[in-house]
Structure formats: structure tokens, C-alpha cells
Amino acid sequence: MTNKVMVLVFLFISFSAYSCTCTDRSASELIEAAEVIYAGYVVKTELVNSELEIKTTFKVIETFKGETKDQEYVFTTENGGSCGIKYSVANYYVILTDSLEKRVSSCSGWDVYYPYPINVGDSSVTGILPELRKNKPYNRANQ
């Protein structure tokens, strides 16, 4: 093979093998980095452009950090290789995001949300929800 062909083959393999990589951060570091953190359930998801960007709308049920409205939305990519998060309608999640662009990825942190602390340690995906509850104890008045 010529050098040009080998370079093209290498580039093709490199791009097709790309996957999401994040730096390892603890739940407390992810919480500290986020400007807004809330829990809610997915109302709808929609493709917003040809670059596979997804807008997900949540009904907010608990706010842990920052200010939220009754409904919030975030943007992510559909492609898991780009660290996108696939949200399912009617499921509950903990969302960590910034206040302006509202972009999320698996690198910014997320968790499944359970409105009551039963087996939370067993059910937590990333440990974010138990860490949040250390700082804000469960209280039915929060619901």
C-alpha cells in the first residue's frame, strides 16, 4: 500500500472508533461544577436540527441548585459517541447543567431520580442523587 492509502485507512479507523470519554470526577465535583441542578420527568424529546441535536423538556419537581421554572429544557446529542444522553419520556432524572446554554452530556453528570429515599444507594446510577440528599435532606414539603 502507498503511504496515502495507509493514511486514509488510519483516518477512517480513527473516526469510526471514536467514543465518548470523560475525565473521572466524583459526584461532589460534578455537583460543584453545575450551575443548575434539578429533578424532573421527561415531558417530550424532539430533534431540533440536522446535526442530531435533541431538545428534552422536563417538568421540574425538585430544585437542588440554582433557579428553575416549572418546565425546563436541555440540549444533548443523539449520538452516544458524542457523550449524548438518551432520555425516555415519563422517566425521572436528575439534571446537572449550566444556566445559559442548557447543554448536557454524560460528562456533565446525571442520575435517575427517585422522589423518596428508599434503596437510593442501590438505585443510584452515578451517586449524584445520594450526594445531593446529604446536603438537602429528603422532605415531603419539597415535593
Side-chain angles (χ1 to χ4, degrees), residues 48-118:
V48 292
N49 61 37
S50 62
E51 299 188 8
L52 302 179
E53 187 172 51
I54 303 292
K55 179 181 178 183
T56 303
T57 305
F58 293 88
K59 168 73 171 135
V60 176
I61 56 176
E62 185 172 0
T63 300
F64 294 98
K65 184 177 179 181
E67 294 184 25
T68 59
K69 298 176 185 163
D70 190 41
Q71 283 196 347
E72 290 286 342
Y73 62 89
V74 295
F75 294 99
T76 191
T77 59
E78 184 176 66
N79 184 345
S82 297
C83 302
I85 302 172
K86 287 192 175 201
Y87 296 110
S88 299
V89 172
N91 285 343
Y92 292 75
Y93 299 93
V94 176
I95 307 302
L96 292 86
T97 189
D98 60 70
S99 57
L100 293 177
E101 292 185 19
K102 300 186 181 213
R103 300 206 61 73
V104 295
S105 73
S106 56
C107 298
S108 60
W110 69 280
D111 209 342
V112 174
Y113 178 77
Y114 296 92
Y116 43 85
I118 297 175

Side-chain angles (χ1 to χ4, degrees), residues 23-35:
T23 56
D24 263 349
R25 294 193 291 174
S26 68
S28 58
E29 289 172 321
L30 291 168
I31 291 166
E32 178 70 28
E35 294 176 18

